[in-house]
Amino acid sequence: MESKQQKKKINWKLVGTVTFGVRRYFVLGSAAVLLAALTAYAIPLITSFTVDYVIAGEKLQTMPSVVYGWAEKIGGRDYLRSNIHIMALILIAAALLNGVFTFIRGRSVALASEGIAKVIRDTLYRHLQAVPYDYHKHSSTGDLVQRCTSDVDTIRRFVGVQLLEIVRTVAMLIVALIIMFSMHAFMALITTAALPVLFLSSFVYFRKVRKQFTLSDEAEGKISSTLQENLTGVRVVRAFGQQGSEIEKFTRCNAEYRDVTFKLIKMLGFYWGLTDILAYGQICITLVAGVILSVTDGFTLGQVMVFTAYAGMLTWPVRQMGRILADLGKATVSLERIDEILSHPAETEPGKALKPVIKGEIEFKNVCFGYDAYDDVLKDISFKACPGQTIAILGSTGSGKTSLVQLLQRLYTCTAGEIIIDGVNINDIDHRLLRSNIGIVLQEPFLYSRTIRENISIVKPDASDEEVYNAAKIAAVHDVIESFEKKYDTVVGERGVTLSGGQKQRVAIARMLMQNAPILIFDDSMSAVDTETDAAIREALNKRRKSSTTFIISHRITTLCEADNILVLDGGRLVQQGKHEELLKVDGLYARIAGIQNMLEQELNGGGVKSEHRDQGTGI
Ligand code: M5T
Ligand code: MG
């Protein structure tokens, strides 16, 4: 993943896509912003009309004649004077209208921004399900989570708060300038004199403090990552007695966050304080100029009120403008970080996407594979498996066993040679169909934080209790589940029961059995199960294994010996293959490993130690 500090480039197509459904809210919001600005500016005008015309009896040239026409029609100044509540009601109506438009603005903005955030999150999530497996292997989960949450939030905030704020400020400026210049050009110039200075200073200032904002964000990120690391690694922390240093580390991060944020608040306080002086200075100058003009140029009290009110109303949004423009950069970076995920191509179907009936006949023909172009993990692998056969794979750690079965699922494509399943090249089989026909128990099984029943029946949500129990019985985990207080409704994981490694593996085996797939893969999935349970599971599985081609990766000779074909891998090469008896006769890796395990077994038995203890490895 690239860093945040890169050249900004907005993907307008993406912007178009994510705003597609919510554009009407933008239009409505913008219209409401404009109307709210108009009603906000009408209020000082109504006050000025009341003061000048109704109370003082002056007829202003700058007021539109329609206003006077209306006043004359309902009874003229005297009528309004004796019914002053009419003016009060008009003022209230304007304020109410302003409130209604502000509400519509807020509602439209919320609908637009929340809508956009939802579309982006959904699109990202869907895309993350579609990108190749390899993409996930090379991305940091934390980074992806941050992109799907805080980057989306930055955009949501920008759309929700800042974008319409720009529209509002521009609308307010235009409306105010038109009204003021049509009333008195010189006063309009005086009233807006400080605005360019305020705008420039806010722009320059917020560009400068942006670094401080970034530092504050980073310090906050550090706190959460320290906390996350500590909580997920709680066992290691306790086991190694690291609490003291962990507290020290957290205190340091916390203090850093406090200092950085304190400095930021100080800087902001300084800015708002300084620009407050400028803003109030502007109001004072407008007031003084208005008073002088009222003496020399016949300026009315109402007009002075309008200009001083406008001076106050304009300074606030202009002071905010620099902040918004500075944040625009932040939103652009976030948009780009999201675009980086979305522009990663989804897993393609380069082959013919054939949908053959898969029976489980598998052939590897001189297959080579490497995660990097320069380093082959599997070299020239050839073997055959007929439907219903059991293929065992043995090899030292890192010899390529997991990689071999990953090729079978087409999580990766082999670099040379070919894999044929039921007469069809694996690359031509629709990858979804292929994977749904392969049941796998991973080396480190993952269970959802849901109930055990849901975990087992994940591939077949409408499975009957009987089916779930049967699968669990074959996986030798039914009795364990029954011993839990909530039995199959026990929630696995964080807030539920934490299963032991062996129990997890067995639940994963039960889950796989529900799939009823013609190809089954056990990737070292009995390693955390004691040898007796292992044997019981294998015996139960034997009955149904006849209908599936089964791959068993294991280090235990007792598990491997019944297989129809045993593949012995060494450094990515298939050094031996054959049945247990055949391999024993040959002086090779298999016979050596079998010899060592046999010897250990005898020693343990001879020493009175029961063989149910876990096979802790034989050096392979
Ligand atoms: C074989 C490398 C690994 C090792 C070799 C899964 C995986 C493996 N490797 C990668 O570079 N990226 C990967 O995603 O490939 O690894 P393996 O196939 O996992 O070996 P194994 O299953 O026989 O080992 P083990 O320990 O599970 O018994 O060099 O670095
Ligand atoms: Mg492995």
Side-chain angles (χ1 to χ4, degrees):
M1 296 279 167
E2 289 146 69
S3 81
K4 275 195 174 193
Q5 311 293 325
Q6 49 193 302
K7 203 167 169 286
K8 290 164 213 152
K9 205 170 68 214
I10 298 179
N11 180 348
W12 289 109
K13 203 172 146 218
L14 173 65
V15 174
T17 316
V18 298
T19 56
F20 182 71
V22 295
R23 280 182 214 158
R24 60 182 188 281
Y25 298 124
F26 271 122
V27 176
L28 189 67
S30 306
V33 160
L34 200 69
L35 290 170
L38 283 176
T39 44
Y41 282 115
I43 293 171
L45 285 179
I46 297 165
T47 322
S48 126
F49 176 80
T50 313
V51 170
D52 286 344
Y53 178 73
V54 183
I55 299 173
E58 291 177 53
K59 187 167 176 174
L60 300 172
Q61 299 308 315
T62 45
M63 278 277 173
S65 54
V66 59
V67 176
Y68 294 106
W70 165 80
E72 296 303 324
K73 219 179 192 171
I74 63 162
R77 176 186 163 236
D78 291 337
Y79 176 77
L80 283 175
R81 211 170 184 183
S82 50
N83 291 290
I84 197 79
H85 66 273
I86 293 180
M87 295 315 296
L89 285 177
I90 293 174
L91 261 180
I92 292 172
L96 271 179
L97 272 179
N98 183 266
V100 170
F101 292 135
T102 308
F103 170 75
I104 295 176
R105 183 197 89 180
R107 188 177 174 275
S108 323
V109 162
L111 284 171
S113 58
E114 297 301 333
I116 286 180
K118 181 176 182 301
V119 171
I120 301 181
R121 275 195 297 262
D122 281 349
T123 316
L124 275 173
Y125 195 73
R126 221 171 295 133
H127 193 72
L128 284 175
Q129 311 305 309
V131 288
Y133 172 69
D134 198 37
Y135 177 80
H136 289 281
K137 293 279 285 193
H138 287 99
S139 313
S140 122
T141 314
D143 185 68
L144 287 182
V145 169
Q146 202 187 14
R147 286 174 196 233
C148 294
T149 52
S150 75
D151 281 314
V152 174
D153 206 52
T154 307
I155 293 172
R156 185 192 60 79
R157 256 201 327 268
F158 180 74
V159 175
V161 185
Q162 294 149 345
L163 202 60
L164 272 206
E165 199 58 36
I166 297 178
V167 178
R168 188 167 89 99
T169 309
V170 174
M172 281 182 87
L173 264 175
I174 293 172
V175 174
L177 288 177
I178 292 173
I179 297 174
M180 288 195 296
F181 274 94
S182 67
M183 284 174 85
H184 201 286
F186 178 65
M187 265 306 279
L189 280 176
I190 290 194
T191 310
T192 51
L195 294 187
V197 183
L198 273 175
F199 176 72
L200 263 180
S201 59
S202 88
F203 187 67
V204 172
Y205 174 81
F206 279 109
R207 276 191 87 90
K208 274 213 153 24
V209 292
R210 200 160 74 184
K211 206 178 121 221
Q212 201 63 25
F213 272 112
T214 314
L215 284 179
S216 169
D217 283 352
E218 280 171 6
E220 195 185 356
K222 231 192 247 172
I223 287 196
S224 46
S225 64
T226 311
L227 190 64
Q228 194 195 358
E229 201 178 71
N230 177 281
L231 294 178
T232 45
V234 65
R235 270 184 71 185
V236 179
V237 173
R238 298 285 159 99
F240 288 90
Q242 289 298 301
Q243 289 99 323
S245 68
E246 283 291 314
I247 291 171
E248 208 177 287
K249 194 167 124 196
F250 186 78
T251 314
R252 228 180 307 122
C253 293
N254 206 2
E256 192 185 316
Y257 178 55
R258 179 203 55 199
D259 294 343
V260 171
T261 312
F262 182 62
K263 195 172 166 196
L264 178 66
I265 292 169
K266 222 165 57 183
M267 288 165 92
L268 286 175
F270 176 72
Y271 171 76
W272 293 123
L274 197 76
T275 49
D276 256 358
I277 298 175
L278 258 174
Y280 282 115
Q282 170 70 74
I283 297 172
C284 280
I285 291 169
T286 312
L287 190 65
V288 170
V291 170
I292 295 173
L293 279 179
S294 68
V295 176
T296 59
D297 204 16
F299 213 57
T300 66
L301 183 58
Q303 282 173 315
V304 177
M305 286 169 74
V306 169
F307 279 92
T308 33
Y310 284 8
M313 283 160 83
L314 282 175
T315 45
W316 174 253
V318 170
R319 277 198 291 173
Q320 277 276 69
M321 210 54 191
R323 167 95 194 253
I324 292 170
L325 291 179
D327 278 355
L328 180 67
K330 232 165 130 182
T332 319
V333 173
S334 289
L335 190 67
E336 205 188 333
R337 279 162 57 79
I338 287 167
D339 186 35
E340 244 171 53
I341 299 182
L342 294 179
S343 57
H344 193 95
E347 193 170 21
T348 47
E349 190 62 80
K352 297 176 190 146
L354 300 177
K355 296 191 173 172
V357 178
I358 293 183
K359 296 194 206 86
E361 190 188 291
I362 296 160
E363 187 177 1
F364 272 55
K365 280 188 187 168
N366 308 100
V367 169
C368 295
F369 170 70
Y371 293 95
D372 307 306
Y374 48 87
D375 190 15
D376 263 1
V377 167
L378 291 173
K379 295 155 204 147
D380 201 19
I381 308 280
S382 298
F383 68 89
K384 244 179 152 171
C386 298
Q389 277 195 335
T390 298
I391 311 294
I393 308 176
L394 173 77
S396 54
T397 91
S399 58
K401 304 181 293 294
T402 299
S403 306
L404 190 143
V405 295
Q406 281 184 343
L407 287 185
L408 205 53
Q409 286 183 294
R410 223 179 113 200
L411 291 176
Y412 296 95
T413 311
C414 49
T415 41
E418 52 187 6
I419 302 170
I420 311 283
I421 297 185
D422 290 304
V424 184
N425 188 317
I426 195 170
N427 295 334
D428 290 334
I429 303 176
D430 180 88
H431 65 255
R432 277 173 199 272
L433 175 101
L434 174 74
R435 286 172 202 164
S436 67
N437 276 289
I438 299 178
I440 186 161
V441 184
L442 296 173
Q443 203 162 2
E444 288 153 13
F446 167 81
L447 299 180
Y448 291 93
S449 289
R450 301 182 198 166
T451 62
I452 294 180
R453 185 193 311 276
E454 283 173 302
N455 265 295
I456 295 180
S457 59
I458 203 121
V459 285
K460 200 176 171 194
D462 54 351
S464 67
D465 281 353
E466 215 44 47
E467 287 176 86
V468 173
Y469 297 161
N470 264 341
K473 276 177 192 160
I474 298 179
V477 71
H478 177 73
D479 294 341
V480 181
I481 300 171
E482 285 288 316
S483 72
F484 295 146
E485 197 190 325
K486 290 190 181 159
K487 305 188 192 295
Y488 279 83
D489 293 321
T490 310
V491 177
V492 180
E494 293 207 329
R495 275 168 298 122
V497 169
T498 311
L499 300 180
S500 75
Q503 288 165 348
K504 260 194 199 166
Q505 283 191 337
R506 282 179 280 164
V507 171
I509 292 173
R511 172 175 67 190
M512 184 202 70
L513 292 173
M514 294 296 291
Q515 207 175 331
N516 228 342
I519 300 170
L520 303 180
I521 299 170
F522 294 84
D523 189 352
D524 217 359
S525 39
M526 310 280 196
S527 59
V529 177
D530 61 73
T531 33
E532 271 179 14
T533 317
D534 177 359
I537 296 174
R538 272 185 291 119
E539 203 185 308
L541 273 173
N542 262 343
K543 289 179 205 140
R544 76 186 274 168
R545 233 170 31 204
K546 296 283 173 266
S547 57
S548 313
T549 309
T550 310
F551 287 82
I552 298 184
I553 298 176
S554 177
H555 293 302
R556 285 184 194 150
I557 297 293
T558 44
T559 309
L560 304 170
C561 62
E562 296 159 6
D564 299 299
N565 192 11
I566 301 168
L567 310 176
V568 185
L569 289 181
D570 189 18
R573 277 185 196 285
L574 184 56
V575 287
Q576 283 182 295
Q577 66 172 310
K579 281 186 188 286
H580 175 70
E581 296 76 25
E582 294 163 11
L583 293 175
L584 276 186
K585 285 183 202 140
V586 190
D587 182 23
L589 191 59
Y590 188 83
R592 271 208 313 280
I593 293 165
I596 297 169
Q597 285 195 14
N598 205 11
M599 209 171 68
L600 279 172
E601 189 89 353
Q602 278 172 5
E603 263 178 36
L604 285 171
N605 284 338
V609 185
K610 277 183 78 181
S611 65
E612 73 189 33
H613 285 277
R614 289 181 190 174
D615 184 351
Q616 288 299 341
T618 47
I620 59 161

